[in-house]
Amino acid sequence: MSGARLIVIGASAGAVQALLALLPSLPASFPLPMLVVVHVPSDRDNVLVPLLQAKCRLLVKEAEDKEPILGGVIYFAPSDYHLLVEAEGTLALSTDEQVNYSRPSIDVLFESAADAYGAGVVGVVMTGANHDGAAGLKAVLDAGGVAIIQDRTEAYATAMPDAALEACPTAFTMTLDSIASYLSSLGAA
Amino acid sequence: MSEIEDLEIQLLLEALYQRYHYDFRHYARASIKRRLTQARSQLGFPSISAMQDRVLHDPAMLPRLLGFLTVQVSEMFRDPSYFRALREKVVPHLRTYPSLKVWIAGCSTGEEVYSLAILFREEGLYDRTIFYATDINPEALAAAEAGVYALDRIRKFTENHQKSGGRSSLSDYYTAAYGRAVFDKSLRNRVVFSDHSLVTDAVFAEMHLISCRNVMIYFDRPLQDRAIGLFRESLTRKGFLGLGSKESLRFSAHAAAFSEFAAEEKIYQRREP
Ligand SMILES: C[S@@+](CC[C@H](N)C(=O)[O-])C[C@H]1O[C@@H](n2cnc3c(N)ncnc32)[C@H](O)[C@@H]1O
């Protein structure tokens, strides 16, 4: 049994390979909703969603404003919009200023998720060459949620996992393989 | 801790409404909370309540807080495909009217206003159009009326203008001086800038086109419905409503009153009553 209700994932440089290694391994019966922020240049928006949809057993879609958050769906933040979680279980978009030079920002997603879902959040920070996600992962931990960081030895870019680990020394570090089996086990409970 | 902060936020929003009639009580909570927490730390208050105390007693504090509460991110010809669709698909319909009214709701610092004015000029419609540019942030409205932008933003504006199917050079419309681009007065001699809230104010004229982009994402669902209700009442038969690229009428109570005119570009048309 676990109290997990929502999974949030953030990745930057190297994200595509990492997500391709992680998301397709999730079973079709995976019951939790998953929200993903990836930093991509704003003119390359929609490539990731169809690419992953083709490989995943779960529904992969771009998040829409005021959309209800449903289990078994993987929502991606649209490029150039922040993605936030509302307490009543809906998604919200915003065009607020960039945070950590990024829009969407991982911190913005994680902090709002921690605020709305408290201890029910599992946060995963993966490969990336910046510091986005560190403060957000700390917010997840502070709210009683689970914090996971991709093992730096297999990350394409280590700055983001390193920054997250520095902000959250008690987080679990895991390889993509173990992240995949951990997430799958949340579903099996 | 977070629960107390939620309560403080609720009280602050109530105070702003009671004292100044600014109604943020039904804005999407997650982002308003983020911005108020930012305001608290950047303005150096120990708590949201302390900030509330100050703004209640010191009206000079209000504009500073409004700066945090209203997001002023904009760009000329933002999402060029939207403006291209207006140009190619909506303008042919607008041409059939002898005079036109256009409402830019939540016009922020004016980028969208000048984009539409330029587009209408290029399409030969400017002189028969009245534009209403409205917002709740007085500083943003003043900036919109001034039409002065940092020169380093012009490159992006020019690129967007070209991608939107621009028929002229953007540089025809501004003069560059001291690192700033000053847009031509003639682009706003048919624009009425005014303070209007989609939350608390009523319909004020009958419109052929309403452009309201990236404003309603900041509202909760019932408030979105109120705003869309205003647009519905305000539009002429078969009038057009343009939204931001990630907004839609899909979750709205008024969805049935509109048809999708250019679905990808989020342009809707009011159905016949
Ligand atoms: C992100 S900006 C959008 C600017 C522009 N429409 C665009 O898409 O580039 C949002 C604007 O909505 C305005 N706004 C917020 N609440 C409003 C309300 N109740 N009525 C009218 N405008 C509002 C804000 O002041 C801000 O200027």
Side-chain angles (χ1 to χ4, degrees):
Chain A
M1 257 297 285
S2 83
R5 292 159 60 215
L6 179 72
I7 294 162
V8 290
I9 296 183
S12 189
V16 180
Q17 290 317 312
L19 290 172
L20 278 171
L22 178 66
L23 299 181
S25 71
L26 295 170
S29 61
F30 189 73
L32 300 178
M34 197 175 293
L35 311 180
V36 188
V37 161
V38 174
H39 300 147
V40 285
S42 57
D43 46 334
R44 281 231 317 261
D45 37 359
N46 285 321
V47 291
L48 212 52
V49 169
L51 175 74
L52 283 160
Q53 182 60 91
K55 312 247 180 208
C56 286
R57 278 167 281 195
L58 296 166
L59 173 63
V60 181
K61 71 186 296 289
E62 194 173 83
E64 291 176 73
D65 187 50
K66 303 293 177 286
E67 176 171 30
I69 301 175
L70 302 178
V73 180
I74 304 176
Y75 302 89
F76 275 78
S79 74
D80 221 21
Y81 286 80
H82 291 302
L83 174 62
L84 298 99
V85 179
E86 291 286 354
E88 67 267 31
T90 56
L91 297 173
L93 301 179
S94 97
T95 59
D96 284 25
E97 291 77 7
Q98 298 188 333
V99 175
N100 308 312
Y101 307 100
S102 308
R103 189 171 56 218
S105 146
I106 302 167
D107 281 346
V108 170
L109 170 66
F110 281 28
E111 283 166 9
S112 71
D115 200 49
Y117 280 64
V121 180
V122 177
V124 184
V125 170
M126 308 209 292
T127 171
N130 53 63
H131 290 187
D132 197 19
L137 197 66
K138 181 158 190 310
V140 169
L141 269 185
D142 289 347
V146 177
I148 298 172
I149 301 169
Q150 184 185 7
D151 193 324
R152 75 188 306 281
T153 59
E154 59 154 47
Y156 171 84
T158 53
M160 209 159 89
D162 287 348
L165 192 59
E166 197 182 317
C168 312
T170 60
F172 302 110
T173 52
M174 298 185 190
T175 61
L176 287 173
D177 274 352
S178 21
I179 297 175
S181 41
Y182 175 76
L183 294 184
S184 300
S185 78
L186 290 178
Chain B
M1 172 61 202
S2 177
E3 262 165 50
I4 295 175
E5 207 168 67
D6 285 339
L7 177 61
E8 290 180 287
I9 288 173
Q10 199 177 321
L11 294 172
L12 169 66
L13 299 183
E14 190 61 39
L16 284 177
Y17 179 62
Q18 301 283 339
R19 170 95 163 88
Y20 299 107
H21 217 63
Y22 274 104
D23 192 356
F24 292 99
R25 295 172 301 172
H26 294 281
Y27 278 48
R29 202 37 83 92
S31 59
I32 215 144
K33 180 163 184 179
R34 234 194 94 241
R35 293 198 302 276
L36 281 178
T37 332
Q38 263 172 356
R40 182 189 59 65
S41 70
Q42 283 180 34
L43 300 173
F45 288 102
S47 67
I48 304 270
S49 306
M51 199 156 70
Q52 174 194 315
D53 181 52
R54 170 70 88 74
V55 76
L56 274 177
H57 297 286
D58 176 6
M61 183 65 196
L62 180 65
R64 304 184 66 185
L65 206 49
L66 279 183
F68 284 96
L69 284 165
T70 65
V71 176
Q72 304 300 334
V73 174
S74 191
E75 195 175 282
M76 277 181 81
F77 296 97
R78 171 176 183 168
D79 309 313
S81 63
Y82 171 77
F83 290 92
R84 182 178 278 275
L86 286 181
R87 198 187 286 275
E88 292 173 354
K89 298 181 182 155
V90 176
V91 160
H93 291 264
L94 296 181
R95 273 192 211 295
T96 61
Y97 296 92
S99 71
L100 291 166
K101 286 183 175 161
V102 174
W103 179 11
I104 300 117
C107 68
S108 187
T109 37
E111 288 86 336
E112 194 180 345
V113 181
Y114 291 96
S115 308
L116 284 168
I118 289 169
L119 192 154
F120 272 56
R121 169 147 299 165
E122 288 176 344
E123 301 302 327
L125 294 177
Y126 184 80
D127 292 327
R128 60 171 113 152
T129 306
I130 298 179
F131 298 88
Y132 298 91
T134 63
D135 204 283
I136 56 166
N137 185 318
E139 287 180 357
L141 275 172
E145 201 156 358
V148 179
Y149 303 102
L151 213 45
D152 59 15
R153 303 182 65 202
I154 291 291
R155 222 173 94 154
K156 183 75 198 250
F157 293 0
T158 304
E159 191 185 307
N160 286 351
H161 174 236
Q162 285 311 310
K163 285 191 193 153
S164 80
R167 297 180 196 272
S168 55
S169 163
L170 194 66
S171 60
D172 296 347
Y173 300 105
Y174 65 83
T175 348
Y178 308 109
R180 305 183 315 164
V182 183
F183 277 79
D184 226 44
K185 277 211 289 291
S186 69
L187 287 174
R188 56 177 175 272
N189 56 18
R190 303 193 60 83
V191 185
V192 180
F193 293 92
S194 69
D195 176 44
H196 180 279
S197 169
L198 296 170
V199 180
T200 47
D201 295 327
V203 164
F204 56 91
E206 189 169 65
M207 306 291 168
H208 299 87
L209 166 66
I210 297 173
S211 192
C212 181
R213 313 193 67 215
N214 300 306
V215 180
M216 287 189 293
I217 43 177
Y218 295 103
F219 296 174
D220 72 7
R221 285 266 281 279
L223 203 51
Q224 287 191 345
D225 281 340
R226 184 198 195 265
I228 296 164
L230 281 187
F231 298 151
R232 175 185 182 174
E233 264 182 76
S234 185
L235 281 172
T236 57
R237 294 169 59 218
K238 306 203 127 194
F240 296 92
L241 170 63
L243 305 180
S245 68
K246 300 298 168 196
E247 298 175 308
S248 81
L249 296 184
R250 211 150 79 79
F251 302 109
S252 161
H254 298 282
F258 293 88
S259 58
E260 287 188 342
F261 181 77
E264 274 289 288
E265 287 77 27
K266 304 296 156 65
I267 300 172
Y268 295 83
Q269 186 171 31
R270 212 195 95 178
R271 288 186 198 277
E272 305 267 1

